[in-house]
Amino acid sequence: MSEWIWEWTGYDPDPAAERLRESLCTLGNGYFATRGALPECRAGLVHYPGTYAAGCYNRLESAVAGRQLVNEDLVNLPNWLLLRFRLRRAGGAWGPWFSPGAHTVLGHRHVLDLRRGTLTRSFRHRIDETGVLGVEQTRLVHMGDPHLAALRTVFTAEDWSGEVEIESSIDGEVINGNVHRYRALGGRHLTGVHAGAEEPHTLWLSCRTSTSGIAVALAARTTVGADRAPVSSALRPAHRRAVHRLVVPIAPGRPVTADKTVALHTSRDTAIGDPLGEAVDRVSAAADFPALLDSHVAAWERLWRRADIRVPGEAGRILRFHLFHVLQTLSPHTADLDVGVPARGLHGEAYRGHVFWDELFVLPYLGLHFPEVSRSLLDYRYRRLPRACRAAAATGRAGAMYPWQSGSDGREESQEWHLNPASGHWLPDHSRLQHHVGSAIAYNVWQYCEATGDTEYLHTRGAEMLLQISRFWADLAVFDPAAGRYRIRGVVGPDEYHDGYPGAARAGLDDNAYTNVTAAWVLTRTLELLRRLPSWRREELCGRLGLNDDELLKWDDVSRGVRVPFHRGVISQFEGYEDLDELDWDAYRARYGTIRRLDRILEAEGDTVNRYKASKQADVLMLGYLFSPDELRTLFRRLGYDLDDDIWRGTVDYYLERTSHGSTLSELVHGFVLARARRAEAWQYVHDALKADIADIQGGTTGEGIHLGAMAGTLDLVQRGLTGLETREDALWLDPVPLPALSEYGFTVHYRGHWGVGVRSRSAQVEISVPDSEESPMRVMLADRAVTIGPGESCSLVVPDRSPGQA
């Protein structure tokens, strides 16, 4: 099979299988996306045709288990995809509307073409003993014009003649219903639905989100081929639906082609005054389907030129598949929007479309290919900096306390109660104590500025975010005279299983190692930035924010003196981790098979995961994902700790045995870390990370939306993990790691002013090539030497076959 083609054959009415395929066949362009549902099917037990526009949120209040819960959701917008048909033989009566579950379907196939950005569905419908209808449908969500989508349907009669009736609709009778465990929560987000028509071919539907007041408008133009004039054509606006019915004659050798073109606008768009008028105008002026397809494919070609990754074999196919979905969620069109990184893409409703720390796994990749997109995503956080400062002040803290889950306006969107599907219990949710999201934002600011050389951003918006995040960490850290160190109490780490001590009245943990070390890193980098700032800018910032020398002295103290707990020669996940009980892992695996969501299993048994040395995903080991071995050693040395190879290897081994991998990010991080710490075992984790969504290893979650962080993270694993690529100190650093299963790869990056710097690994060699330009030569730092590569030049280096195990 082609490395660009993904194919699904047969029709499987199993809801889990079909919703998984729909999610994996989603098409989008960074502005909006539509799941790969069947055009003739409305939402039901099997199918879910969701459409989502980036940043289009709405808030609803629900009464659940005697409590009033308020949740903000990414809104499922009116379904533009609907197109159904029925047939009538010459002289006969109309048959029923076609449904794949009720009719005989032969040769059913979906083909996702990554290169062209299209989804093609084909099948043959047996209408009786002698009659067969062939159907082929090709859809696109336009990558050139982010407001357009199109569906072409070709009907071919085999050995019979008659008529086909086509019903093309826009359906406003939609709710948020993609995630079963949210069924008790309100899901009707659209109000004021109105439908209308403009002769001869155009339907429109407008509505508004109920509380956020976002106006949404869609317009659809449905036409048949010029050589097949319809017998009848009727535009029928109805209650919450707009319907266009056409009857067209059909005969052998005379196929019927129906083209549906759709425009989508919202009141969040720039440079428009009326979303409905803009949608109608845009669809009326849109080119025909062949021309739209050509311009759409050309836009995808430009994207692939900037971002394609070349890896042989099945791993390469999956990596390109992951890149396809990343680009559909975060494309150059995203640079014009006020949106963050939705953890589940624009592919479903899990996590309610919220923005988490998953950008930590996305922006380092994007920044080296689409820096304008990375900058826009950082601006999403900058615009919400005042809200984060107010959130910190509300808890009596200085600086900025960013929310764990963010949506439209930057307030904390984390649920206060969550449902355990295994027990049916609603439980308190303390995930908002994951303050390490602030460090993730600071890390991405720093990475973006190092990769691009964008000092203007670093000295302005970037500096403001870093200063306020640092101020929060320094204020949260309290000096403990008994320990002689600063301590950060009452937090939840990336592990997420542990949100408190067994039997404790308060939530949160003390001295989470990942939280403390990353806080020290943020403080160190911010102090470094202040030293590098022009004096006038430093004085301006400090004056506006009220920063004085005493406060900065404390920052320096905390950056050198925050506590990192250890036990038995390994880094402790948090203070007191060593006192927890060991879990009988073999017994639980034997009893339940998969124990990825061990927390749910234990709660359903009346127990709690807080009692055990058991992690959902990498926590301490995340440090090895963010920082190179040298930088991690330097960080610990600044804190007064010696982190040698033996301690790091022991820490890796310790947590490998105690992690259930209840997140798709877990295998990714473990594979990344093991590539340097224990290479022989790395591939199994990398393999699982690659399969996370296509095999739905979390058991039904991918049908609720792909895992964008895990997908982008696998790309970064090749780009940054295998190459040891870092951007720091005005140079590109490389420290390649040989991983036999991924020994050959190639990609290009945008580094500073150099567009298309080539990185290629083959036969134990890495070649760096710099495209010809007027830019200055590029400095590349290798493990054993420094080289300068000018535009139009290249350099090869041999990958040393050293023993893994660096800290």
Side-chain angles (χ1 to χ4, degrees):
M1 184 179 294
S2 165
E3 58 185 337
W4 294 93
I5 299 297
W6 287 72
E7 184 175 324
W8 289 260
T9 57
Y11 175 71
D12 189 346
D14 174 63
E18 187 59 10
R19 292 200 177 192
L20 171 61
R21 187 203 58 75
E22 289 177 353
S23 191
L24 297 178
C25 289
T26 295
L27 296 182
N29 57 24
Y31 173 78
F32 82 100
T34 296
R35 288 167 57 86
L38 305 185
E40 66 272 12
C41 295
R42 301 178 71 187
L45 293 176
V46 178
H47 303 285
Y48 194 79
T51 290
Y52 312 97
C56 188
Y57 291 99
N58 191 62
R59 199 179 305 278
L60 291 179
E61 183 173 324
S62 309
V64 178
R67 302 180 182 89
Q68 294 298 121
L69 305 181
V70 177
N71 291 287
E72 184 176 68
D73 293 83
L74 187 68
V75 178
N76 180 24
L77 299 181
N79 179 18
W80 65 267
L81 189 63
L82 271 178
L83 189 142
R84 62 177 183 166
F85 65 90
R86 61 180 179 173
L87 306 171
R88 176 165 64 185
R89 277 183 176 273
W94 285 109
W97 295 102
F98 171 77
S99 171
H103 294 89
T104 302
V105 178
L106 310 172
H108 197 267
R109 186 172 69 142
H110 280 94
V111 175
L112 182 64
D113 187 331
L114 306 186
R115 187 193 295 273
R116 296 163 59 85
T118 59
L119 177 65
T120 299
R121 174 204 188 194
S122 59
F123 64 93
R124 297 169 70 236
H125 164 40
R126 182 174 294 282
I127 55 179
D128 55 30
E129 294 182 359
T130 60
V132 172
L133 177 75
V135 181
E136 182 174 278
Q137 296 178 305
T138 301
R139 75 180 74 170
L140 60 89
V141 175
H142 206 281
M143 189 55 82
D145 186 329
H147 298 280
L148 290 179
L151 171 69
R152 163 165 279 194
T153 305
V154 180
F155 301 97
T156 304
E158 300 180 19
D159 300 325
W160 65 279
S161 60
E163 293 175 327
V164 55
E165 182 173 16
I166 302 163
E167 183 183 87
S168 174
S169 307
I170 308 173
D171 182 13
E173 191 66 41
V174 296
I175 63 170
N176 276 45
N178 175 231
V179 182
H180 183 66
R181 62 187 174 279
Y182 299 165
R183 65 191 182 279
L185 303 175
R188 190 169 295 279
H189 292 277
L190 301 178
T191 187
V193 180
H194 298 287
E198 291 200 9
E199 296 289 351
H201 308 298
T202 302
L203 297 167
W204 58 261
L205 186 142
S206 66
C207 56
R208 186 174 294 273
T209 55
S210 62
T211 57
S212 56
I214 300 171
V216 179
L218 296 95
R221 181 189 72 196
T222 305
T223 59
V224 296
D227 61 333
R228 308 294 288 156
V231 173
S232 65
S233 174
L235 301 172
R236 299 177 180 176
H239 178 63
R240 303 181 74 90
R241 293 184 72 194
V243 179
H244 186 181
R245 282 192 176 181
L246 305 98
V247 177
V248 188
I250 188 170
R254 300 190 66 193
V256 171
T257 299
D259 290 337
K260 183 176 186 178
T261 306
V262 176
L264 167 64
H265 277 277
T266 81
S267 56
R268 299 184 78 248
D269 299 345
T270 58
I272 69 167
D274 172 23
L276 177 57
E278 192 69 24
V280 172
D281 288 348
R282 189 174 292 268
V283 82
S284 300
D288 61 13
F289 186 87
L292 284 176
L293 179 60
D294 287 344
S295 57
H296 170 71
V297 171
W300 266 107
E301 184 180 357
R302 292 190 292 272
L303 286 185
W304 288 122
R305 196 178 302 129
R306 288 177 66 177
D308 192 21
I309 186 167
R310 299 172 297 282
V311 175
E314 183 67 6
R317 288 189 74 239
I318 298 172
L319 285 165
R320 185 172 283 126
F321 184 76
H322 287 178
L323 177 55
F324 177 73
H325 283 293
V326 171
L327 293 178
Q328 291 192 118
T329 307
L330 304 169
S331 80
H333 299 302
T334 307
D336 296 326
L337 307 175
D338 177 33
V339 298
V341 178
R344 304 300 281 272
L346 298 174
H347 297 60
E349 296 161 17
Y351 299 154
R352 300 183 175 85
H354 291 165
V355 177
F356 292 71
W357 74 322
D358 297 63
E359 63 197 49
L360 185 62
F361 301 87
V362 179
L363 265 67
Y365 177 81
L366 284 179
L368 287 165
H369 297 277
F370 301 94
E372 74 278 18
V373 178
S374 286
R375 179 170 175 146
S376 173
L377 295 169
L378 292 174
D379 279 346
Y380 168 85
R381 293 297 193 178
Y382 175 75
R383 294 186 189 102
R384 288 150 183 81
L385 179 60
R387 172 80 71 167
C389 291
R390 293 201 300 273
T395 64
R397 297 296 176 189
M401 185 176 75
Y402 275 97
W404 176 239
Q405 295 185 35
S406 182
S408 61
D409 58 14
R411 75 182 76 177
E412 179 62 77
E413 301 294 352
S414 300
Q415 55 195 1
E416 297 185 13
W417 296 86
H418 70 268
L419 175 68
N420 178 4
S423 67
H425 298 155
W426 284 86
L427 308 167
D429 191 313
H430 302 297
S431 59
R432 63 188 58 220
L433 297 177
Q434 292 192 71
H435 300 315
H436 61 85
V437 66
S439 295
I441 294 166
Y443 183 88
N444 280 331
V445 169
W446 194 265
Q447 291 292 318
Y448 162 77
C449 294
E450 287 284 343
T452 61
D454 191 347
T455 54
E456 183 271 337
Y457 195 87
L458 181 61
H459 292 177
T460 55
R461 296 184 173 193
E464 290 184 46
M465 285 188 278
L466 286 168
L467 285 165
Q468 294 288 23
I469 293 167
S470 292
R471 180 174 253 176
F472 174 75
W473 283 132
D475 191 47
L476 195 61
V478 177
F479 188 73
D480 181 357
R485 285 189 170 272
Y486 287 91
R487 307 188 64 183
I488 296 177
R489 302 178 185 272
V491 301
V492 171
D495 156 45
E496 293 189 332
Y497 272 177
H498 297 92
D499 62 359
Y501 292 101
R506 70 172 177 91
L509 306 160
D510 300 336
D511 295 328
N512 173 257
Y514 174 85
T515 301
N516 287 14
V517 172
T518 55
W521 179 87
V522 174
L523 288 161
T524 301
R525 289 290 169 261
T526 305
L527 291 167
E528 178 185 329
L529 170 61
L530 283 172
R531 289 191 294 269
R532 288 164 49 182
L533 281 175
S535 58
W536 67 267
R537 177 58 179 158
R538 181 171 59 251
E539 292 169 5
E540 181 183 69
L541 269 174
C542 291
R544 184 153 60 84
L545 300 180
L547 274 172
N548 56 47
D549 290 342
D550 289 342
E551 190 170 358
L552 294 178
L553 283 173
K554 183 185 178 183
W555 291 16
D556 188 68
D557 286 346
V558 175
S559 74
R560 299 175 186 275
V562 73
R563 185 169 184 271
V564 179
F566 288 78
H567 72 275
R568 299 182 185 178
V570 303
I571 304 169
S572 295
Q573 187 169 303
F574 51 81
E575 175 62 32
Y577 187 86
E578 62 182 303
D579 299 325
L580 302 180
D581 294 338
E582 292 286 2
L583 183 79
D584 189 343
W585 292 86
D586 291 338
Y588 273 88
R589 288 192 179 98
R591 193 182 316 168
Y592 292 100
T594 176
I595 56 170
R596 290 182 180 273
R597 290 310 306 264
L598 182 65
D599 56 333
R600 293 175 175 176
I601 291 172
L602 289 170
E603 193 278 329
E605 291 183 345
D607 204 345
T608 173
V609 75
N610 280 327
R611 292 181 52 225
Y612 300 99
K613 296 185 180 79
S615 297
K616 175 183 176 182
Q617 59 189 335
D619 192 300
V620 174
L621 301 192
M622 269 296 300
L623 296 171
Y625 180 84
L626 293 187
F627 306 117
S628 69
D630 284 344
E631 189 170 11
L632 194 55
R633 270 194 297 264
T634 300
L635 263 173
F636 272 76
R637 191 177 303 122
R638 180 183 175 89
L639 288 168
Y641 298 104
D642 180 28
L643 183 64
D644 60 24
D645 292 353
D646 289 339
I647 292 174
W648 183 247
R649 280 198 300 266
T651 300
V652 171
D653 292 346
Y654 184 85
Y655 290 105
L656 277 176
E657 298 175 358
R658 293 167 174 82
T659 305
S660 71
H661 304 294
S663 163
T664 55
L665 296 172
S666 189
E667 278 96 353
L668 164 67
V669 173
H670 281 82
F672 197 106
V673 170
L674 285 170
R676 291 187 178 276
R678 276 170 52 177
R679 193 165 64 232
E681 297 181 30
W683 172 244
Q684 182 57 53
Y685 289 95
V686 173
H687 177 268
D688 289 348
L690 290 170
K691 295 281 189 178
D693 270 331
I694 61 172
D696 197 14
I697 64 173
Q698 293 291 333
T701 63
T702 303
E704 304 166 351
I706 54 95
H707 298 80
L708 194 70
M711 284 189 168
T714 61
L715 302 168
D716 194 40
L717 186 145
V718 175
Q719 175 176 279
R720 192 167 60 94
L722 299 185
T723 63
L725 186 151
E726 295 180 89
T727 54
R728 56 184 171 92
E729 300 171 23
D730 297 321
L732 198 68
W733 296 67
L734 291 169
D735 184 17
V737 175
L739 190 63
L742 284 174
S743 60
E744 185 176 338
Y745 52 82
F747 55 86
T748 61
V749 297
H750 174 200
Y751 175 68
R752 303 290 172 99
H754 298 281
W755 289 78
V757 176
V759 180
R760 185 182 181 187
S761 172
R762 189 176 183 181
S763 302
Q765 283 193 327
V766 173
E767 179 180 295
I768 312 297
S769 59
V770 179
D772 194 16
S773 72
E774 297 297 319
E775 293 291 328
S776 301
M778 194 176 80
R779 197 160 62 102
V780 178
M781 306 296 292
L782 310 174
D784 55 351
R785 65 190 188 277
V787 298
T788 300
I789 310 175
E793 298 177 351
S794 62
C795 174
S796 294
L797 63 138
V798 177
V799 179
D801 188 17
R802 61 183 182 274
S803 299
Q806 298 102 319

